[in-house]
Amino acid sequence: TLSKEHLLSGFAEMLKHGLISNVESYNKLIAFDISNPDYDQLLHLVADSVSIKENIVEEDPLEKGIRKYLNLGHTTGHAIESLAMKRNTPVQHGYAVAWGLACEAILSYMKFGFSQPEIHRLVDYVKANYGAFPISCDDYAYLYEKITHDKKNVSGRINYTLLKAIGEVEINVSVTKEEIESSFDLYRDLFGL
């Protein structure tokens, strides 16, 4: 009964769950044709996704450790949401998370050598289903300023949740302004902006 836009929004969170979980779960999600969904298959994917999140929250109810895995895609995603609101063109939360996942996969490559083919696979899926959120160099200062106010930051240090590989998550990763801006440059290149 969900609109396509709401379905896509929720599916972005599922993509995140696949990325933080394991290759098998992620491969099922990235292969799923969300534009022409098989609802029986989607039901199984939703159940798997809920299970992934449930297990993490049960293990870390106070967000002291692995619950921070759930922040993947959100540091950049929240900044994108703010920019969209500033432009009076609000976007669904999940769309911002999808674009945030792309940027944070790029940061994961820069910090840990996350797989370039996996970045391309993710970007291709996001571009095909969510389009590209337009940013230019003129937006970097605003996005960076929003990122500096993220709840995960401590003592002025910008903290991200990033990936070494699918299912290999690093929390509290310190990222510089230059690295963030480079991730925006590469996002724009990959999305053809």
Side-chain angles (χ1 to χ4, degrees), residues 5-79:
E5 187 179 46
H6 283 91
L7 187 64
L8 280 165
S9 187
F11 198 79
E13 295 284 355
M14 293 170 62
L15 286 173
K16 175 197 73 181
H17 293 153
L19 283 164
I20 65 175
S21 178
N22 60 66
V23 173
E24 182 184 355
S25 293
Y26 179 66
N27 283 342
K28 287 179 188 174
L29 291 162
I30 207 83
F32 187 72
D33 183 1
I34 192 73
S35 63
N36 185 25
D38 173 334
Y39 289 102
D40 290 335
Q41 183 185 5
L42 181 59
L43 190 60
H44 291 290
L45 294 174
V46 169
D48 289 344
S49 187
V50 168
S51 177
I52 290 165
K53 183 172 183 178
E54 196 172 56
N55 290 338
I56 287 172
V57 172
E58 280 179 10
E59 188 172 329
D60 184 16
L62 302 177
E63 199 172 343
K64 301 292 185 196
I66 70 163
R67 188 164 176 172
K68 292 180 181 181
Y69 288 14
L70 299 173
N71 294 326
L72 182 70
H74 284 70
T75 301
T76 306
H78 288 149

